Each structure stands twice: as structure tokens, then as C-alpha cells.
Amino acid sequence: MIPTDDASTRKREIEDKLRQEQETLNFIKESLEKSDQLTKNMVSILSSFESRLMQLENSIIPVHKQTENLQRLQDNVEKTLSCLDHVISYYHVAKDSERIIKEGPTGRLVEYLECMGKIQKAVEYFQDNNPDSPELNRVKSLFEKGKESLETEFRNLLTRHSKPVPPILILDLISTEDEVETQEEVTLEHLPENVLADIICISGWLVDYGRNQDFMNVYYQIRSSQLDRSLRGLKEHLRKNSSSSGVLYSPAVQNKRKDTPTKKPVKRPVYIPGTIRKAQNLLKQYSQHGLDGKKGVSNLTSMEGHDHDVRFKHHVDNLNEKHGPAAGKDDVLDIEIDAYIHCISAFVKLAQSEYQLLTEIIPEHHQKKTFDSLILEALDNLIQEGESIVSAARRAILRHDYSAVLTIFPILRHLKITKPDFDQVLQGTAASTKNKLPQLITSMETTGAKALEEFADSIKNDPDKEYNMPKDGTVHELTSNAILFLQQLLDFKETAGAMLTSQESSSSASSYSNEFSKRLLSTYICKVLGNLQLNLLSKSKVYEDPALSAIFLLNNYNYILKSLEKCGLIKLVAVTQKTAEKSYQEHIQQQIQTYQRSWSKVIDYINEKSLPAFQPGAKLKDKERQMIKDKFKGFNDGLEELCKIQKAWAIPDKEQRDNIRQVQKQIVTEAYNTFLQRYATVSFTKNPEKYIKYRPEHVAEMIDKLFDTSA
């Protein structure tokens, strides 16, 4: 059962809540009534505003439309006036532009081109709208005059600012690739920057509006002339600045080298001016006079050990003393060859630079043709000069002057080295232009190969004439000529091998070009040496004395072997003849043995086998005494005669000469000493000094003077 107080309390709480809720409902009801009243008021206001707005719109729209029409009329009037002004301006173009066109574009190219643009538009207007107007002819005439002025300005700018490239700069340009790897790159500025910009502007305008390609012909003619002049200037510079040794250089490069210690030497083959020509001088000097003043004789006695370098320098000094350094035709030709080689490299570099310049000025679709025309004159001159060198070599070969072919080797080698650069530069030119260099290379290879074969035949067929033989049995001029020629081939072995390979048509020549050409060159050298050996054997028979014949062959074989070993030719010979060195050594020993037999008769007089037996203290018979006298006399006479004859003979190789003397001295003195000991105490004459003329040491001294005319 709930207590009475709690029930009363709860009842009051419920009544309070009901009263609060009733009050809330009353408040909401009042609020809704107020809201309805406000809504009605707002609707009334909006309805009034809408009515007023419609009245305003009905008043404004007619005014707006009228204003818009007036604005359109104003715009049309302005446009009409502008068009009239524009049309009228075309009638004033000729008058306004005549002065500027007459004065030309010099110094104000931008203004001039703007003026030409106006004239061009006037021409187009009259052509489209009033072709019968006299103004059309007037602006057309003015346009043509302006175009001619631009073409003239184009020519004048090119002519005035195109200069030959200085030779020193060309040499520096070449040296960046050929001499110094780390040297700064040399760039050519054919035209000043502002001039080049003007030329490019004019060129662009002539292409777009001029509709005339004559300026391209003007361009290639002017630049072609400068290219040719640059090469001629380089050649003249090389001629003037050649030193007595023929070494040509760029002073600018020399100065840079002093400050650049990290530079590396050239990797590519470099032609040393003068080397080939000096070799030719030697060949001619041998054939004309010989070193001892007798035709056909090569007197090498004073040159110990066949020192080729000393002998080489000796002859060059003789030529310089006689003619003066760099004064003769040979030196001039050597300078020309070196200059030609420099011009080949210079042409490539200058042509590359010209093409870069051309691409900035000439439209792309005309660049290849214009470049072809630009380089044609310089390239033709270069090729013609090469053909002249080939023709000169051919004429010399017809005269049996085979040393002339040596002039081709450095040129041909350089042409082959430069050919990839040539091909790159000439890419896109006409086929006839591209084929010029390969044709020259082929011509040189054919001429060189023919000369090599004829030289080998000339070695084989050199005549055996007594006046042409060295009286002292020294090295024959044919031997020194042949070896010197082969030594030059070694310096250009790749080129010489390619010459010989070019005449072959076998599959090996194409499949194994490097190895095949090396074997061909080795075979050729062996052929020359074989022909030389056969000819020397034939020549040796001219001597009546077999000993002198042996000395002659000994000297020549020894000279050949030492020369082959010294210059490295023996390695090339060994490619096809591995026993060549041993074979020459055997030949030398055979000739030494033949020579030693010349002393047999002298030694026979004192040989123990031919000596009679005598009893010590026994009295000699007259016949026995006479026999001893005859042996002494025979030995003395034979020794004196041999020493007198062989003293005039020559063995230039000191080592070989000393060995032969030593061996012969040992054989003779030992036999003579035994002979003296046996008969020194025998009383076979009252005048022993008459027969015992020499002591053993005296005999040794006499033999030591063999092969020495100064002793």
C-alpha cells in the first residue's frame, strides 16, 4: 500500500507537467497565427513589386533597342571609314616607300623589310581587287627594285665579309684532331654575328616572297671562291714557312703546346716531310755517282756496321752542301707533297664548317645541291693535283725511276685515313662528286702496284757490266737501292699491302683483307730479295778473282741481313719465309769459307804436311836447301801479294771485318810460327834475313791491315 504523502506529491508533479505542456501548445498556436499574418503581408508586398517591375520593363526595353541600333550604326560607320583608310593607304604605299627603296637596305634592314612587306600587300590588293589600276604596275615595279636591292645587299654582305680562313687557324683546326687530343676545340667564324643575322633575314625573305633562287647561286659562288682561296693560302703558307728539313708546323699550335703538358701524341700515322724525298735522293745519288766517285759503286767502308741512319744523314748533308737546304726540285716536290696532304685534311674541315654555315642560310631542300656546287671547284682542284702527282709518278716509272712511287705512299695513306671523313662530308652530294676520291685512290693503287712489280723485275734484270761493279767488292748500288726501297715500304706496309691487294681478284683478298695484304707484301719483298740474290750471283761472276767475288757476295748478303734485322723487315719476310734469316747466315758463312780458300796456296808453302823430314845436325843437300828457300820465298811472295791486293778490298761491317781478320790471322800465324820454329835453327842459307823476312807478329800486323786502304 502506497503512502498518502507520496501519492499527493506525485499527483502534483503530473499536474505541473500538464500545465507546462498546455502553455507550450498555446505559445506555438500564437506563433503560427503571427507567421500566417506575416506571410500574407509579404505576399502582398511582392505582388505590388512585381506589378511595378513590369511597368518599368515596358518603359525601358524600347529605349534599349533604340540605343543598340544606334551603336550598330556607329560601328558600321567606323568600319567603313577604316576600310576606306586601308584602301587609300595602298594608293599611298608607292609614294611613302619610294624613298626607302631607293636608298636601299644598308644599315636599316628591319625597316626596309617592313617597307617591302607593305609593298607586297599592296601588290596583292591591287591584283585581287583592281588589276587594271595603274597603281599595280607602280607598286610592282617598286617591289622588283626592292627585291633587286635585297639581292644586291645579300651579295655585298657576303662579298665584303667573306674572307679566306687564315692558314694558321686552319692548321690549328687540323691539329685539334691530328696532333693534340686535349687541345681546345677550334671554331671558325666565317661571318660576323650581326652580318650573319642580316644575311639569314634576307635569305628568308627571298625564299618566302622573292620567289627567286638566284641568291643561292650567288652564295655558292662567293663561298666556293673563299674555300678555294683558303686552301691556296694554306699551301702558300706551308711553302714559305718550310724549314730546311721540310718540317711544316703551325706556330699557334706550338705556342699552345708549351702551356699544355698533358697533351698526348698523335695516334694516327703522320707523314714526316722530307723522309720520302731524301730516300729518293739517296737512290738517285747511288745510281748517278756512287760514294767513291765511280758510277755504280756504293763505297760504305767508312760507315761501320752498315749504319743506315749515319749513311742516310751523310748523303743528305752532301746534298745540302751542294744545293743548299730546300733549294732543289726534290725539296720543292717534297714540300708540295706535304702541302697536298695538309690540304686534304683542311678541305674536310673547311667543308664541314661551310656546310654548317650553309644550313643557317639556305633552305633545307636546297642545301645538298648548293653544297655540292660550293665545294666542287676546291674538290676538283684537289683531285686534279692528286692526279698530276700520279701522272708524274707514271712518267718517272716509264723512265725506270721507281723511287717516284714513294711519293704516292704518304698521300695514299692519308687519303685512306681521311676517306671516312670525306664520305661523311660528301653525303647527299651527287654521285659524280662522291666518286672523285675513290677514283683517285684506285688510280694511285694501280700506279703503285705496277711500279712495285716493275721494280722487282728491274732488280732481276739489272745488267752485269764491269764498269758497274765496285772494284773493292763492297755493297753494290743495286743492293742498297733495293733495301732502301723496301725499308720505305715497311713505313707504309698497310698502304703497300693494299696496293698489291687491289690487283687481286681472289676470294681471299676480300675475306681476309688485312692478313691477305700482309702475306702479299711479304711475298713481294721475298720476290725482290730473291731477284736481288740471283742478280748478285750473276754479277759476282764478273770478278776474275773468286776471293773478291766471295767478298762481294759476303758484303751484300751481310748488308741485306743486317738491314732487314735493323729496320724490322725480317719479321715481315718471316710471314712467308720463316728460314730467311738462317738462310742468309748460311750464305754468309759459305762466302767466308770461299774467301779463306784464297789463302790456301800461301798456307800450303808452310804446311807441315808438305815439309820434308830432316835429322837434327844433319848436313842438308843442295836440293833440300833449295826446297826450304822456295817455301820461304813462296810464302813471302804470296803473303805480300795477297795483302797488297786484299788491302784494297772493302768489308764495311766492322764486326764482320774484324772476325775475318782474326780467323785468318790465327790460321796463318800458327802455321807460320810452327814453320819458323822448325827451320830457324836449320842452316839452309848464308843470308837468312833474305828468306826469313817476317816474324809472326809482323804477319799478324799485315793481316790486320786487310780491307783498309788507309793503313
Side-chain angles (χ1 to χ4, degrees):
M1 202 171 160
I2 303 173
T4 303
D5 291 337
D6 291 339
S8 298
T9 302
R10 185 168 182 80
K11 181 178 178 181
R12 282 195 301 270
E13 289 177 354
I14 292 172
E15 288 176 353
D16 290 340
K17 287 182 179 180
L18 290 174
R19 190 169 44 254
Q20 290 176 357
E21 289 177 358
Q22 184 65 41
E23 290 176 357
T24 301
L25 289 173
N26 292 335
F27 177 77
I28 292 173
K29 184 176 179 181
E30 290 176 2
S31 296
L32 288 173
E33 289 175 355
K34 289 180 181 180
S35 177
D36 288 340
Q37 185 62 41
L38 290 173
T39 300
K40 288 178 182 179
N41 293 337
M42 181 62 67
V43 169
S44 175
I45 292 170
L46 289 174
S47 298
S48 176
F49 180 77
E50 182 180 8
S51 173
R52 293 177 182 180
L53 185 62
M54 289 179 64
Q55 292 176 3
L56 179 63
E57 183 177 353
N58 292 331
S59 301
I60 292 300
I61 286 177
V63 176
H64 176 72
K65 288 182 177 179
Q66 187 176 5
T67 304
E68 187 178 272
N69 290 334
L70 290 173
Q71 184 68 40
R72 186 180 301 109
L73 288 173
Q74 183 180 358
D75 291 343
N76 290 337
V77 170
E78 289 178 354
K79 288 179 180 179
T80 302
L81 291 175
S82 177
C83 288
L84 287 173
D85 290 341
H86 184 67
V87 171
I88 293 171
S89 70
Y90 288 132
Y91 287 87
H92 294 160
V93 165
K95 181 180 178 181
D96 295 342
S97 303
E98 189 172 9
R99 180 182 61 82
I100 296 175
I101 298 302
K102 184 177 180 180
E103 291 176 356
T106 304
R108 52 177 180 181
L109 180 62
V110 175
E111 180 185 1
Y112 193 88
L113 291 178
E114 289 176 353
C115 184
M116 287 296 293
K118 294 178 181 179
I119 297 173
Q120 172 70 14
K121 290 179 180 179
V123 171
E124 292 173 354
Y125 171 79
F126 287 118
Q127 285 177 339
D128 294 339
N129 299 282
N130 193 2
D132 297 328
S133 171
E135 284 295 323
L136 175 60
N137 294 330
R138 188 178 179 188
V139 292
K140 263 188 169 183
S141 174
L142 199 61
F143 181 80
E144 291 300 322
K145 289 180 180 178
K147 186 174 73 173
E148 290 176 3
S149 296
L150 284 173
E151 291 174 348
T152 302
E153 180 71 4
F154 183 86
R155 179 190 294 273
N156 291 341
L157 285 175
L158 267 180
T159 304
R160 189 181 310 120
H161 296 283
S162 290
K163 306 294 182 183
V165 181
I168 299 299
L169 188 57
I170 296 176
L171 291 174
D172 289 348
L173 186 67
I174 298 172
S175 73
T176 58
E177 177 179 343
D178 290 345
E179 293 183 11
V180 182
E181 292 184 355
T182 58
Q183 183 171 310
E184 293 182 3
E185 182 179 357
V186 178
T187 56
L188 297 180
E189 185 181 78
H190 295 286
L191 298 169
E193 188 174 348
N194 61 327
V195 174
L196 178 60
D198 287 350
I199 290 176
I200 292 173
C201 285
I202 296 174
S203 170
W205 189 93
L206 290 174
V207 170
D208 294 337
Y209 304 105
R211 297 180 180 85
N212 190 339
Q213 299 180 8
D214 290 345
F215 78 95
M216 300 181 196
N217 297 332
V218 170
Y219 177 83
Y220 90 71
Q221 289 169 359
I222 294 174
R223 294 307 307 169
S224 175
S225 174
Q226 297 305 323
L227 175 60
D228 190 57
R229 287 179 62 191
S230 297
L231 292 175
R232 292 179 185 275
L234 172 64
K235 189 182 298 183
E236 189 63 27
H237 170 80
L238 295 174
R239 289 171 180 166
K240 289 182 179 179
N241 291 276
S242 299
S243 63
S244 60
S245 61
V247 177
L248 310 175
Y249 62 94
S250 162
V253 173
Q254 296 292 329
N255 291 336
K256 289 181 180 180
R257 286 179 183 169
K258 294 178 182 178
D259 303 324
T260 315
T262 60
K263 295 179 172 107
K264 299 180 181 179
V266 143
K267 293 183 179 179
R268 287 167 51 173
V270 177
Y271 166 58
I272 302 175
T275 302
I276 295 298
R277 180 52 51 188
K278 289 174 184 176
Q280 290 177 294
N281 288 340
L282 285 178
L283 295 178
K284 293 178 180 178
Q285 190 82 345
Y286 276 125
S287 61
Q288 292 173 359
H289 302 291
L291 299 185
D292 64 351
K294 303 178 182 65
K295 180 170 179 146
V297 180
S298 176
N299 183 2
L300 304 180
T301 305
S302 62
M303 279 155 253
E304 304 296 348
H306 296 311
D307 192 333
H308 169 71
D309 295 333
V310 175
R311 179 164 48 82
F312 195 106
K313 184 177 184 302
H314 173 73
H315 286 289
V316 173
D317 291 343
N318 285 345
L319 290 174
N320 286 340
E321 289 175 5
K322 182 176 180 181
H323 302 290
K329 293 182 179 179
D330 289 339
D331 299 289
V332 171
L333 179 57
D334 184 60
I335 294 171
E336 290 296 325
I337 292 171
D338 182 78
Y340 183 68
I341 289 175
H342 277 76
C343 285
I344 291 170
S345 297
F347 172 82
V348 173
K349 290 293 185 182
L350 292 176
Q352 290 172 342
S353 180
E354 286 291 347
Y355 186 75
Q356 292 174 357
L357 177 65
L358 178 142
T359 56
E360 298 184 65
I361 298 173
I362 304 299
E364 184 176 359
H365 54 287
H366 292 289
Q367 289 174 0
K368 295 295 183 182
K369 183 179 178 181
T370 306
F371 181 67
D372 194 343
S373 301
L374 190 155
I375 64 172
L376 191 59
E377 180 181 0
L379 180 60
D380 280 344
N381 290 339
L382 204 62
I383 297 300
Q384 287 173 9
E385 188 172 352
E387 290 173 348
S388 298
I389 293 172
V390 174
S391 298
R394 286 174 182 160
R395 291 192 297 270
I397 292 167
L398 290 176
R399 299 191 304 268
H400 305 292
D401 177 14
Y402 302 106
S403 63
V405 74
L406 297 175
T407 60
I408 295 179
F409 282 103
I411 297 174
L412 180 57
R413 180 171 68 179
H414 192 73
L415 285 175
K416 286 194 168 187
I417 291 172
T418 317
K419 188 176 182 298
D421 295 332
F422 257 95
D423 293 340
Q424 184 179 5
V425 169
L426 301 181
Q427 186 179 6
T429 58
S432 58
T433 304
K434 292 179 182 177
N435 292 333
K436 290 181 184 293
L437 184 67
Q439 289 171 356
L440 178 60
I441 290 176
T442 300
S443 178
M444 286 189 172
E445 286 183 335
T446 303
T447 302
K450 181 181 179 183
L452 291 178
E453 291 301 324
E454 291 190 11
F455 177 76
D457 293 338
S458 72
I459 295 296
K460 182 178 180 180
N461 301 320
D462 191 70
D464 304 332
K465 296 182 180 179
E466 186 174 354
Y467 75 83
N468 199 34
M469 296 296 292
K471 294 182 179 180
D472 57 1
T474 189
V475 177
H476 196 277
E477 64 162 317
L478 181 67
T479 303
S480 55
N481 285 356
I483 295 300
L484 188 57
F485 189 89
L486 295 180
Q487 286 174 341
Q488 297 303 323
L489 291 189
L490 183 63
D491 293 336
F492 300 93
K493 57 184 177 182
E494 292 84 3
T495 305
M499 279 184 179
L500 297 170
T501 305
S502 67
Q503 307 306 305
E504 297 291 326
S505 57
S506 65
S507 59
S508 299
S510 58
S511 301
Y512 308 99
S513 56
N514 292 335
E515 185 63 27
F516 184 79
S517 62
K518 185 176 181 181
R519 291 187 66 83
L520 270 183
L521 182 58
S522 176
T523 301
Y524 172 78
I525 293 174
C526 291
K527 178 182 178 181
V528 173
L529 293 176
N531 290 349
L532 177 60
Q533 186 172 343
L534 290 174
N535 196 296
L536 290 174
L537 285 171
S538 178
K539 289 184 185 302
S540 67
K541 297 175 182 177
V542 173
Y543 295 111
E544 296 179 357
D545 190 336
L548 181 54
S549 177
I551 290 295
F552 172 76
L553 292 176
L554 165 66
N555 283 330
N556 283 272
Y557 291 155
N558 189 59
Y559 178 80
I560 293 171
L561 178 59
K562 289 291 181 68
S563 298
L564 294 180
E565 290 175 338
K566 182 174 182 179
C567 69
L569 266 173
I570 195 68
K571 294 180 181 178
L572 190 55
V573 172
V575 172
T576 51
Q577 286 194 9
K578 299 187 182 301
T579 61
E581 187 172 5
K582 181 180 178 182
S583 177
Y584 273 111
Q585 291 171 348
E586 290 175 351
H587 289 320
I588 292 171
Q589 289 304 316
Q590 289 174 3
Q591 300 311 317
I592 291 176
Q593 292 171 7
T594 301
Y595 163 74
Q596 289 174 343
R597 285 197 287 271
S598 67
W599 286 82
S600 298
K601 186 177 179 181
V602 176
I603 295 174
D604 283 344
Y605 283 111
I606 57 176
N607 198 318
E608 288 189 12
K609 296 180 181 179
S610 63
L611 298 177
F614 299 105
Q615 295 295 331
K619 187 177 181 181
L620 299 178
K621 297 178 182 180
D622 292 341
K623 183 179 180 181
E624 292 173 338
R625 285 197 296 271
Q626 188 61 42
M627 182 184 297
I628 296 173
K629 291 178 182 179
D630 290 342
K631 287 186 177 295
F632 270 108
K633 187 176 186 303
F635 173 79
N636 293 336
D637 293 345
L639 176 66
E640 292 169 356
E641 181 181 5
L642 281 180
C643 288
K644 180 180 178 181
I645 294 173
Q646 295 183 9
K647 184 178 181 181
W649 296 355
I651 298 181
D653 189 331
K654 184 178 185 302
E655 181 182 358
Q656 198 70 260
R657 182 170 66 243
D658 291 343
N659 288 340
I660 291 175
R661 285 173 177 171
Q662 185 62 33
V663 171
Q664 204 58 44
K665 183 167 59 175
Q666 184 176 355
I667 294 173
V668 176
T669 54
E670 285 181 1
Y672 186 61
N673 193 46
T674 302
F675 181 74
L676 277 182
Q677 290 177 357
R678 186 163 187 174
Y679 292 102
T681 57
V682 175
S683 179
F684 64 90
T685 178
K686 293 180 180 179
N687 300 307
E689 65 278 0
K690 179 180 178 181
Y691 297 98
I692 307 177
K693 296 173 64 175
Y694 303 106
R695 305 301 301 170
E697 56 271 18
H698 295 153
V699 173
E701 291 176 1
M702 292 175 70
I703 295 176
D704 279 335
K705 295 178 181 180
L706 296 178
F707 318 116
D708 186 0
T709 56
S710 63

